[in-house]
Amino acid sequence: MPKAFLIDTTRCTACRGCQVACKEWKNLPAVPTKQTGTHQNPPDLNPFNLKLVRFSEHMVDNKVAWYFFPDQCRHCLEAPCKQASSVEGAIIQDAATGAVIYTEKTAQEDFDVIRGACPYDIPRQNPQTKQIVKCDMCIDRVKANLLPMCVKTCAMGAMNFGERADMLKLAAERLAVVKKTAPKARLLNPDDVAVIFLVADEPKKYHEFAVAEGPGAMTRKQVLAGAFAPFRRLARAMQG
Amino acid sequence: MTNHYTDIGNADAVLIMGSNAAEHHPISFKWVLRAKDKGAPVIHVDPKFSRTSARSTFHVPLRSGTDIAFMGGMVKYILDNNLYFKEYVAEYTNAAFIVGEKYSFKDGLFAGFDAAKKKYDKSAWAFEKGEDGIPKRDPSLKNPRCVFQLLKQHYSRYNLDKVSSTTGVSKDDLLKVYKAYSATGKPDKAGTVMYALGWTQHSVGVQNIRLSAIIQLLLGNIGVAGGGINALRGEPNVQGSTDHCILYHILPGYLPMPHAGWAKLEDYQQANTPVSKDPLSANWWQNRPKYVVSLLKAWFGDAATPDNGFGYDWLPKIEPGGDYSYIFLFDRMYKGLIKGGFIFGTNPAQSAPNTHKVRKAMDKLDWLVVGELHHTETSDFWHRPGVDPKDIKTEVFLLPSAQRGEKDGTISNSGRWHMWHYKAVEPIGQCKPMGGAVVEIMNAVRKLYKAEGGTFAEPVLKLDWPAVYDPEDMAKRINGFFTRDTKIGDKEYKKGQLVPGFPNLQVDGSTSSLNWLYCGGYSETEGNLAKRRDLTQTPMQAAINLYPKFSWAWPVNRRILYNRASVDKNGQPYNPAKAVIVWQDEKWVGDVPDGGWPPLATGKGKYPFIMQTEGHAQLFGPGREDGPMPEHYEPAETPVKTHAFSKQLNNPCMKVAESDMDVLAAPADPRFPIVLTTYCMTEHWCGGGETRNTPPLLEAEPQQYVEMSPQLAKEKGIKNGDVVIVESARGKVEAVAMVTIRMRPLLVQGKIVHEIGMPFCFGWTTPKCGDAVNRLTPSVGDPNTTIPEYKASLVNIRKADKVTEL
């Protein structure tokens, strides 16, 4: 059965337990950072930070709004990155869970194409290995009947994981509750992704790439990615 | 906490003040969200809009150090609008007590003040007693000298104009909070107060909490599900270490520290055993002598006999009125009066106020032993920036400590739950649990004493000291044993048996217990109750999220303190839907009741506030150093010259260290016009000695910052991300400017006051992360506890022309 996340940003306290737990489970090294005038650190996703809590401040009706967005791969149901892939077996989708997985073969991909195909700007490249990396839904844990690490560590109920049907139900319930006090609340691309965000305000206020606004951007990229993929595969094959 | 974490979800309103719960006690916030889900307003009152504010129903910024003005206004609002819970106030608090004629309050000072000593003669605040020795009461609450009327009179001055111009909170915001929170004054509603160091770390710290207790009592919120005064303690095991007397003024279990005025055990017992003439008062502390003797038996074993006061004669005794807290310990060290010592698991060269002085004080030591996980600013003070190690004579020993995951033991959470944690991995290298290190060191000292003798050898040699450290054995010793075959009532106990609960502790030496509060936590039949993880509960317990079989809570597994105040005189709950206890079929069911006596209406009951001598909760608290009712005073360093409530600018009893390095800014000092508050953060633990050495955490919060408003930044020509110098009368700190709308300028006495905030976790042993913010804070303390005033001091700020620390 396909799995899904509900990331309820209205419950997130930006404790960053998910961000740190992700690194720890995957044994990813810390990256050197600087304080630049924001709590968001590292400043962006990178090959060693596959999960990042984004912070944004807004003055809304003379009231402070501080939004937190625990960003990660959305595990799209029909992943544009997979469609853009030109290397067989580089980007695969696990049939049982729906997890979109990047393998070692991504090192042979054109990184700009893969990153460009993602409407959420998630993929990053390891400069040494050239592998393209992102969240893998903690597929090792999920296959062992454990929750993904980010979900396991979340005490607030912001990170939820389970059967897609259950998550959709939970998402609808939470949306109905949140809408009572936040009329702009919405779910982000619930029909297209396995990682569904619930936000209380306009998605762009949370993060530039929080949502794929259809039918424009996403379909265009999907179409392009789909259309050129065979040629890219061919080109690579010819280069050996 | 009077209540506990999972209980917060029962609240009908949550007031978070003096705390940034979501960031500093994240798990508590899980239960705050549960309450919010059910419709409770979550109110955050704090100078800074934080991650707590982001998830609260609303946030109200106030100027640091004005909480008493803010809450005093709430007391007035509750009384003016008759929102208090009348039966509760009249029956369960001392509202009806008549205060003696000597009591007065005039222009900021209570009766009995001795200006030369900066001390009160508290006898001037005593209650008037009848011929029977019981305080006189007026249940109608009309007597002009009854506590209720005095309270009303005292806070009548705290009107919206004065409170608003003092705190910087608009009148609308004040009313919004007062209205939302005081709605819990109804018998079937509960409000919870969550606080932490934002209330304690002030020169009026204790009175901040006193005033919140007064509000909670007026609203009938103590003893009930979803109520209480809830001190968030947290991960450094503050609760457990306080219970076991990490502070100088107590012995384990909140027994006063012996002083030279109490030479013999009899003197000590007489001075510390309260007497009530009221047959309805349980006056629980009348049992204190039993706990003292049991503690002495646990320390000295068979050597403790009636002839030597059970070893009391061997105890060190402080000077009466002597202050041995951090501030004055380091003051003495600075003055060359301390030769050496042990520092375990704390980092004063980073986290004590006026850190320049603390660091210099350590230079005066001959020797120092530090037990730590990592090198810290304390272990490495001798090669700190600007110092030549050759000039420092101190010999420093660094003992490597085991980390929590490397040892068995317990932690007591804020809700007093005693929870066992298990060793996950063996300690690396030569690391040892602190208990192991202490046991071994003492055994070596004892060996030397045995071989060579020494001055006053008895306290060392007579100790009932273990050969090796075993946490399980220690847990049993804390619970306590029968020291001989004993009969209590018709029950017989054998020597060596574990004592089943502190009501069985004895004054004759037949029992031992290292901490009476924890007695009952280790059972002969059920074993170590701190290891319980059983989630079973009755439907009544389920209704209030109470898990009596998960771990064990002191005292006697009671989860909600003073729970008999949640029921009326017939033992029936004021809020049946969230009943904590109920009198049913001639017995109490639900939580463990605060004493098993039947309800008061039977005539055989006892008043619910059993720890108070007269059994009533204290709206009027005549035991504190700085007054029986909280009064607004400005912080030691204040941006104003006067205030609206009296001519007494600061707390007249506050403690101030005096030395050439203890300089204070003048009131409204033009050199330092900005208020600084300091705090910890989610990503780092306290002074950061451990977490700065945890790379993923340092990655998330790498460097010292200062949060400031865009208005202040503009005034000072500072841009977000600039490095700035923050300067007080005591030192300078470099920090990265975090310019944020989350900090707001406040309108105080008609003028704009800027407040900035800085974390205290960054220190020089982690390269380029910055250095101690406490180089700025003053050595000023609360008169009751001497907790330093970290939360409000004066500074100035400017763009840095040269960067050395970051």
Side-chain angles (χ1 to χ4, degrees):
Chain A
M1 292 288 281
K3 306 282 185 190
F5 293 73
L6 171 65
I7 304 186
D8 183 350
T9 65
T10 69
R11 298 189 84 79
C12 177
T13 56
C15 72
R16 296 194 273 192
C18 55
Q19 179 179 318
V20 171
C22 174
K23 294 197 77 124
E24 298 254 287
W25 179 255
K26 297 190 174 300
N27 226 351
L28 295 168
V31 301
T33 52
K34 289 265 181 203
Q35 174 54 256
T36 58
T38 170
H39 288 289
Q40 185 174 314
N41 235 336
D44 197 4
L45 294 169
N46 64 61
F48 310 109
N49 289 79
L50 311 181
K51 176 97 185 165
L52 176 76
V53 180
R54 299 183 185 277
F55 294 69
S56 56
E57 298 175 5
H58 308 277
M59 197 59 100
V60 181
D61 303 332
N62 200 33
K63 272 192 249 164
V64 180
W66 200 10
Y67 293 141
F68 312 129
F69 194 80
D71 201 7
Q72 66 170 87
C73 170
R74 308 298 195 277
H75 296 279
C76 299
L77 305 187
E78 289 178 41
C81 61
K82 185 165 180 284
Q83 290 170 25
S85 165
S86 55
V87 179
E88 193 72 42
I91 299 180
I92 55 177
Q93 191 155 20
D94 178 58
T97 59
V100 176
I101 313 272
Y102 287 9
T103 70
E104 289 170 11
K105 290 186 185 164
T106 51
Q108 301 162 39
E109 294 277 12
D110 182 335
F111 170 58
D112 291 339
V113 169
I114 300 298
R115 183 169 176 174
C118 177
Y120 308 102
D121 191 35
I122 297 297
R124 295 292 185 272
Q125 188 175 38
N126 182 317
Q128 271 87 49
T129 66
K130 302 294 177 196
Q131 273 189 50
I132 308 175
V133 290
K134 65 163 193 73
C135 157
D136 66 355
M137 202 189 266
C138 280
I139 191 74
D140 50 346
R141 292 177 58 87
V142 172
K143 293 279 177 185
N145 283 322
L146 297 169
L147 288 170
M149 206 58 211
C150 55
V151 178
K152 177 73 182 167
T153 197
C154 180
M156 299 304 130
M159 299 292 307
N160 303 276
F161 182 79
E163 298 302 325
R164 178 168 176 85
D166 296 340
M167 287 300 110
L168 284 172
K169 187 163 167 274
L170 180 63
E173 283 167 12
R174 282 295 302 158
L175 179 65
V177 171
V178 175
K179 264 194 177 272
K180 286 180 198 163
T181 48
K184 288 184 189 166
R186 58 181 277 201
L187 303 171
L188 303 184
N189 304 120
D191 300 329
D192 303 322
V193 297
V195 179
I196 304 162
F197 281 85
L198 167 57
V199 294
D201 200 349
E202 287 152 26
K204 300 275 178 204
K205 282 191 177 168
Y206 288 76
H207 172 43
E208 188 186 350
F209 301 108
V211 70
E213 296 287 11
M218 187 167 174
T219 36
R220 188 175 57 84
K221 278 187 179 160
Q222 271 180 321
V223 168
L224 285 176
F228 289 115
F231 298 105
R232 270 200 298 276
R233 271 191 215 115
L234 188 65
R236 258 172 223 275
M238 285 168 70
Q239 283 162 8
Chain B
M1 291 169 86
T2 56
N3 295 37
H4 55 94
Y5 281 147
T6 58
D7 178 70
I8 295 168
N10 294 317
D12 297 297
V14 181
L15 176 62
I16 305 174
M17 196 166 166
S19 152
N20 178 358
E23 297 193 34
H24 304 156
H25 299 90
I27 295 304
S28 74
F29 215 76
K30 169 179 178 173
W31 307 101
V32 172
L33 290 178
R34 299 278 172 101
K36 197 180 169 204
D37 287 344
K38 291 183 240 166
V42 177
I43 307 160
H44 190 215
V45 183
D46 198 271
K48 179 180 75 163
F49 188 104
S50 65
R51 292 178 249 187
T52 298
S53 324
R55 289 283 78 85
S56 295
T57 314
F58 52 91
H59 167 249
V60 171
L62 96 166
R63 174 168 66 97
S64 276
T66 63
D67 304 72
I68 288 177
F70 187 98
M71 287 189 279
M74 176 131 60
V75 170
K76 178 173 161 57
Y77 180 86
I78 291 166
L79 295 175
D80 286 354
N81 295 288
N82 277 316
L83 298 170
Y84 55 99
F85 183 176
K86 291 175 190 67
E87 180 179 314
Y88 186 106
V89 167
E91 300 291 342
Y92 296 158
T93 77
N94 64 12
F97 284 41
I98 312 291
V99 176
E101 281 179 2
K102 278 202 236 163
Y103 173 79
S104 68
F105 176 76
K106 220 172 126 191
D107 203 15
L109 290 173
F110 297 90
F113 187 63
D114 182 332
K117 290 184 185 157
K118 289 174 57 177
K119 263 190 169 320
Y120 280 106
D121 170 9
K122 289 179 233 169
S123 70
W125 314 333
F127 294 119
E128 201 166 281
K129 290 186 175 171
E131 278 172 21
D132 54 3
I134 301 174
K136 287 187 189 166
R137 274 189 269 169
D138 172 20
S140 77
L141 308 182
K142 298 251 162 59
N143 186 307
R145 279 194 290 114
C146 82
V147 165
F148 186 78
Q149 292 300 332
L150 293 179
L151 192 77
K152 213 168 179 173
Q153 196 189 340
H154 191 84
Y155 292 105
S156 64
R157 298 168 296 136
Y158 287 66
N159 61 42
L160 289 176
D161 286 322
K162 284 185 182 177
V163 172
S164 176
S165 81
T166 303
T167 57
V169 180
S170 72
K171 286 191 238 176
D172 284 350
D173 273 351
L174 288 173
L175 282 172
K176 197 162 141 190
V177 177
Y178 295 170
K179 199 174 166 197
Y181 195 71
S182 55
T184 63
K186 299 190 179 72
D188 61 348
K189 295 282 183 230
T192 186
V193 169
M194 295 164 68
Y195 78 91
L197 305 177
W199 265 355
T200 56
Q201 291 175 340
H202 289 281
S203 53
V204 292
V206 167
Q207 298 287 6
N208 278 336
I209 293 136
R210 277 269 307 135
L211 192 47
S212 74
I214 289 171
I215 288 172
Q216 288 296 68
L217 290 168
L218 289 174
L219 299 173
N221 280 339
I222 301 283
V224 303
I229 301 284
N230 294 309
L232 304 177
R233 315 301 296 264
E235 212 233 338
N237 199 12
V238 185
Q239 185 64 54
S241 52
T242 314
D243 298 339
H244 291 296
C245 83
I246 198 165
L247 300 174
Y248 80 88
H249 69 303
I250 46 171
L251 301 177
Y254 303 94
L255 309 173
M257 181 67 191
H259 66 57
W262 303 323
K264 291 284 170 196
L265 179 63
E266 297 76 54
D267 307 328
Y268 177 94
Q269 300 287 39
Q270 202 190 344
N272 295 299
T273 310
V275 178
S276 170
K277 303 279 186 192
D278 192 335
L280 294 180
S281 179
N283 180 24
W284 197 267
W285 279 119
Q286 70 178 298
N287 295 302
R288 185 176 262 143
K290 301 171 189 172
Y291 310 148
V292 174
V293 171
S294 296
L295 174 64
L296 290 166
K297 282 299 284 183
W299 275 341
F300 296 111
D302 292 341
T305 65
D307 297 338
N308 53 34
F310 294 102
Y312 179 86
D313 298 355
W314 303 323
L315 295 186
K317 298 179 183 68
I318 61 174
E319 288 303 315
D323 193 319
Y324 301 81
S325 67
Y326 248 41
I327 289 178
F328 292 97
L329 194 73
F330 283 98
D331 188 57
R332 273 181 215 112
M333 199 184 290
Y334 180 69
K335 289 166 182 164
L337 300 171
I338 294 176
K339 295 288 168 211
F342 288 68
I343 297 179
F344 277 90
T346 184
N347 188 3
Q350 166 75 12
S351 52
N354 199 3
T355 318
H356 277 312
K357 178 184 172 189
V358 169
R359 291 173 178 181
K360 259 197 158 165
M362 294 174 77
D363 296 348
K364 310 267 171 91
L365 294 173
D366 292 341
W367 58 275
L368 173 68
V369 180
V370 178
E372 261 299 348
L373 294 178
H374 301 281
H375 288 263
T376 66
E377 289 67 31
T378 298
S379 70
D380 289 32
F381 76 94
W382 49 272
H383 67 102
R384 65 185 182 271
V387 162
D388 185 347
K390 286 190 202 120
D391 297 337
I392 298 184
K393 57 169 182 160
T394 320
E395 188 175 6
V396 182
F397 304 86
L398 178 58
L399 305 179
S401 292
Q403 204 264 359
R404 277 175 306 288
E406 296 172 334
K407 57 189 179 184
D408 284 334
T410 63
I411 185 156
S412 299
N413 79 359
S414 307
R416 297 164 284 104
W417 298 6
H418 195 217
M419 296 194 286
W420 196 263
H421 63 81
Y422 297 85
K423 176 161 71 179
V425 288
E426 289 300 323
I428 55 166
Q430 297 177 49
C431 296
K432 284 183 183 172
M434 180 184 149
V438 171
V439 165
E440 283 185 34
I441 290 167
M442 194 60 184
N443 276 327
V445 170
R446 281 155 64 85
K447 205 169 150 193
L448 276 173
Y449 264 91
K450 263 178 215 155
E452 300 171 18
T455 310
F456 199 28
E458 286 94 336
V460 177
L461 294 178
K462 305 281 189 192
L463 277 178
D464 181 13
W465 195 253
V468 289
Y469 173 68
D470 170 13
E472 211 48 78
D473 169 59
M474 199 53 64
K476 286 183 182 170
R477 286 169 182 252
I478 289 168
N479 178 89
F481 300 101
F482 287 96
T483 62
R484 54 183 186 246
D485 293 356
T486 304
K487 200 171 174 189
I488 301 172
D490 45 7
K491 275 209 161 168
E492 285 184 43
Y493 299 95
K494 290 279 168 213
K495 179 181 177 178
Q497 236 178 298
L498 291 161
V499 180
F502 58 72
N504 299 297
L505 293 176
Q506 304 296 320
V507 76
D508 60 2
S510 59
T511 56
S512 72
S513 171
L514 276 174
N515 192 331
W516 70 278
L517 287 172
Y518 286 83
C519 186
Y522 209 124
S523 149
E524 277 292 333
T525 49
E526 293 174 75
N528 187 345
L529 302 182
K531 292 180 175 174
R532 291 193 300 183
R533 297 294 182 266
D534 181 348
L535 294 175
T536 53
Q537 54 187 176
T538 64
M540 181 180 165
Q541 290 160 346
I544 57 166
N545 226 0
L546 189 142
Y547 295 93
K549 293 181 177 175
F550 187 93
S551 74
W552 180 85
W554 72 256
V556 293
N557 204 30
R558 182 175 304 130
R559 303 295 167 132
I560 297 183
L561 297 181
Y562 302 118
N563 52 28
R564 280 188 305 112
S566 71
V567 297
D568 64 17
K569 284 185 161 186
N570 294 308
Q572 299 310 302
Y574 286 122
N575 182 2
K578 291 178 191 166
V580 182
I581 56 167
V582 61
W583 183 252
Q584 231 170 43
D585 305 324
E586 299 298 297
K587 63 177 198 308
W588 293 106
V589 292
D591 192 12
V592 177
D594 239 322
W597 307 282
L600 278 164
T602 63
K604 295 175 199 152
K606 301 274 185 196
Y607 304 130
F609 286 90
I610 61 172
M611 302 313 285
Q612 302 300 336
T613 306
E614 303 296 351
H616 290 72
Q618 299 195 17
L619 294 175
F620 187 90
R624 302 281 71 82
E625 295 299 321
D626 43 355
M629 287 187 285
E631 171 68 1
H632 171 75
Y633 302 113
E634 287 292 322
E637 286 193 332
T638 164
V640 298
K641 273 195 179 131
T642 59
H643 66 80
F645 298 97
S646 74
K647 287 203 188 71
Q648 184 61 42
L649 186 65
N650 310 115
N651 186 338
C653 306
M654 70 183 177
K655 297 204 176 172
V656 185
E658 283 169 13
S659 76
D660 59 329
M661 290 189 80
D662 287 296
V663 201
L664 290 177
D669 197 319
R671 295 173 302 157
F672 305 107
I674 299 165
V675 178
L676 167 73
T677 192
T678 64
Y679 31 76
C680 40
M681 63 164 87
T682 314
E683 293 78 3
H684 289 289
W685 185 19
C686 297
E690 183 172 355
T691 47
R692 278 184 270 125
N693 289 287
T694 307
L697 296 175
L698 192 66
E699 172 196 273
E701 286 290 1
Q703 287 178 310
Q704 182 70 55
Y705 58 82
V706 49
E707 292 178 284
M708 69 175 84
S709 70
Q711 293 88 338
L712 175 62
K714 196 177 165 199
E715 213 174 275
K716 298 282 181 185
I718 293 165
K719 284 201 265 323
N720 193 41
D722 282 350
V723 176
V724 298
I725 307 277
V726 184
E727 184 167 10
S728 79
R730 295 156 294 277
K732 289 179 205 167
V733 173
E734 290 176 17
V736 177
M738 192 183 284
V739 179
T740 168
I741 52 173
R742 296 180 293 99
M743 297 298 291
R744 286 197 166 192
L746 297 162
L747 191 65
V748 174
Q749 299 182 1
K751 286 186 209 138
I752 290 293
V753 169
H754 289 292
E755 176 145 350
I756 61 173
M758 299 173 81
F760 78 97
C761 58
F762 295 107
W764 67 267
T765 57
T766 305
K768 293 290 169 193
C769 81
D771 197 8
V773 83
N774 282 314
R775 290 174 293 169
L776 303 174
T777 54
S779 293
V780 172
D782 173 277
N784 299 280
T785 60
T786 327
I787 193 165
E789 190 156 64
Y790 292 111
K791 294 299 185 209
S793 60
L794 291 181
V795 295
N796 208 343
I797 187 166
R798 64 185 148 87
K799 206 168 154 174
D801 34 24
K802 197 175 131 204
V803 182
T804 58
E805 295 179 359
L806 295 163

